[in-house]
């Protein structure tokens, strides 16, 4: 039986452009009428087109599909499918992890208004920090560049942050952090900020894009008044930048790690 392009597009839910692309790639060879230049497809061509769509749904490239249709033995075909299955499982694990991260992040965002300027004691999980700048001076050495490259490759799981090793001097490093969950999160050139109990608050720096400890003055004053001993650097972790009521709001979580009580 012969089918027109319209028939094929209707039956297989495919566009004319895709059919032409398959043809240009040599995946299908329709019969072209010498009278009107219409293209016609037989049952075998329809089968090939359906196969191409199925393979593309499995994320095979057109080059791979051409090889599969023209050269693959059964064992080769099985190997391809097993490799693709492994790839899908890896992606599923990745997206499952990302969904968990986003769920936690969404909860943090929902609590911004209630946590704003409120100081509480929390448990700060370890963070691997890769500095990119000291104040306004960009690090250009290979070690910092490599650490930044690794973290940027994991951008979905990382966050922007500033670290004040000595907040009394108001000196800071800016870069990206990654919540450390196992040894694989230790990045060469990065600095591990260990787990600790910490004072936490949420601040709004508005349009201000520079970092300084003045933003965390209330947190520092609270620690001093309650005789808490700082155990690590002051941390500013960006939550989100948004626009509301005609203004820009730039929300940060601020953490001050504390010494364990004796």
């Amino acid at each position: 039986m012969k089918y027109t392009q319209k028939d094929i597009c209707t039956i297989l839910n495919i566009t004319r452009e895709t059919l032409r692309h398959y043809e240009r790639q040599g995946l299908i060879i329709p019969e072209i009428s010498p009278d009107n230049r219409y293209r016609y497809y037989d049952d075998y061509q329809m089968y090939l087109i359906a196969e191409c769509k199925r393979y593309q749904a499995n994320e095979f490239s057109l080059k791979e599909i051409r090889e599969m249709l023209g050269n693959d033995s059964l064992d080769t075909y099985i190997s391809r499918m097993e490799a693709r299955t492994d790839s899908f499982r890896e992606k599923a694990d990745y997206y499952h992890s990302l969904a968990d991260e986003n769920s936690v992040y969404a909860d943090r965002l929902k609590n911004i208004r209630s946590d704003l300027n409120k100081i509480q004691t929390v448990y700060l999980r370890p963070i691997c920090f890769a500095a990119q700048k000291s104040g306004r001076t960009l690090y250009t050495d290979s070690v910092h560049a490599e650490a930044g490259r690794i973290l940027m490759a994991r951008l979905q799981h990382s966050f922007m942050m500033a670290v004040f090793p000595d907040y009394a001097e108001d000196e800071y490093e800016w870069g990206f952090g990654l919540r450390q969950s196992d040894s694989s999160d230790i990045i060469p050139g990065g600095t591990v900020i260990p787990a600790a109990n910490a004072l936490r608050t949420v601040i709004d720096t508005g349009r201000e894009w520079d970092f300084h400890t003045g933003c965390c003055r209330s947190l520092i004053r609270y620690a001093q008044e309650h005789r808490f001993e700082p155990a690590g650097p002051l941390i500013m972790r960006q939550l989100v930048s948004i626009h509301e009521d005609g203004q820009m709001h730039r929300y940060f979580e601020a953490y001050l790690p504390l010494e364990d009580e004796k």
Side-chain angles (χ1 to χ4, degrees):
M1 184 173 178
K2 290 185 178 181
Y3 305 92
T4 65
Q5 275 194 345
K6 182 177 180 181
D7 294 332
I8 296 294
C9 291
T10 300
I11 295 170
L12 299 181
N13 189 27
I14 197 171
T15 66
R16 292 176 184 266
E17 290 76 16
T18 300
L19 284 177
R20 291 295 183 91
H21 189 53
Y22 286 173
E23 183 180 341
R24 287 192 295 270
Q25 295 295 318
L27 296 171
I28 57 174
I29 306 175
E31 176 186 336
I32 302 177
S33 170
D35 298 327
N36 54 24
R37 306 300 296 172
Y38 284 0
R39 284 165 167 74
Y40 295 94
Y41 307 82
D42 58 20
D43 288 318
Y44 180 63
Q45 294 287 312
M46 180 184 288
Y47 162 79
L48 286 179
I49 295 165
E51 284 292 275
C52 289
K53 283 198 66 178
R54 186 168 73 88
Y55 294 146
Q56 280 194 296
N58 279 275
E59 299 186 1
F60 287 106
S61 68
L62 292 183
K63 179 182 178 182
E64 290 173 313
I65 293 172
R66 191 183 304 110
E67 294 171 353
M68 294 165 74
L69 294 175
N71 302 311
D72 272 6
S73 65
L74 178 58
D75 288 341
T76 302
Y77 183 83
I78 291 172
S79 295
R80 287 187 192 272
M81 285 300 175
E82 288 179 336
R84 194 48 44 98
T85 299
D86 290 341
S87 174
F88 286 154
R89 286 193 174 122
E90 289 178 3
K91 288 183 179 180
D93 290 341
Y94 169 77
Y95 284 116
H96 182 76
S97 172
L98 191 58
D100 288 343
E101 290 277 350
N102 284 349
S103 178
V104 172
Y105 178 55
D107 288 340
R108 298 169 99 95
L109 298 181
K110 291 175 185 176
N111 291 327
I112 282 178
R113 292 186 178 89
S114 60
D115 289 348
L116 189 62
N117 301 320
K118 176 183 176 182
I119 298 174
Q120 54 190 229
T121 303
V122 299
Y123 179 73
L124 178 64
R125 295 179 59 181
I127 296 171
C128 185
F129 173 61
Q132 298 296 289
K133 294 195 306 179
S134 175
R136 295 179 177 273
T137 303
L138 183 68
Y139 290 126
T140 57
D141 60 281
S142 60
V143 174
H144 285 90
E146 178 63 10
R149 185 192 67 79
I150 294 172
L151 263 182
M152 291 301 286
R154 302 179 63 176
L155 194 58
Q156 294 90 338
H157 299 281
S158 64
F159 42 84
M160 189 193 325
M161 60 184 290
V163 172
F164 294 80
D166 185 356
Y167 55 82
E169 299 296 329
D170 210 32
E171 296 177 353
Y172 70 90
E173 288 186 310
W174 171 91
F176 294 92
L178 180 71
R179 195 172 63 198
Q180 184 186 356
S181 58
D182 53 50
S183 59
S184 65
D185 292 334
I186 300 176
I187 296 171
T191 301
V192 175
I193 300 172
N197 289 320
L199 295 179
R200 172 191 180 270
T201 191
V202 174
I203 57 177
D204 179 6
T205 64
R207 293 184 175 274
E208 190 169 359
W209 286 92
D210 203 1
F211 298 93
H212 58 84
T213 54
C215 299
C216 307
R217 188 174 294 111
S218 62
L219 190 66
I220 297 170
R221 185 167 57 246
Y222 183 93
Q224 293 170 340
E225 291 174 352
H226 290 77
R227 301 183 182 279
F228 287 117
E229 288 293 330
L234 175 68
I235 300 167
M236 288 178 60
R237 171 183 170 178
Q238 179 165 303
L239 279 171
V240 67
S241 296
I242 59 170
H243 295 266
E244 284 185 337
D245 304 323
Q247 297 182 4
M248 180 175 180
H249 300 270
R250 194 172 180 222
Y251 293 107
F252 284 85
E253 290 176 306
Y255 293 93
L256 183 62
L258 304 174
E259 291 280 2
D260 292 334
E261 293 184 5
K262 303 298 184 182

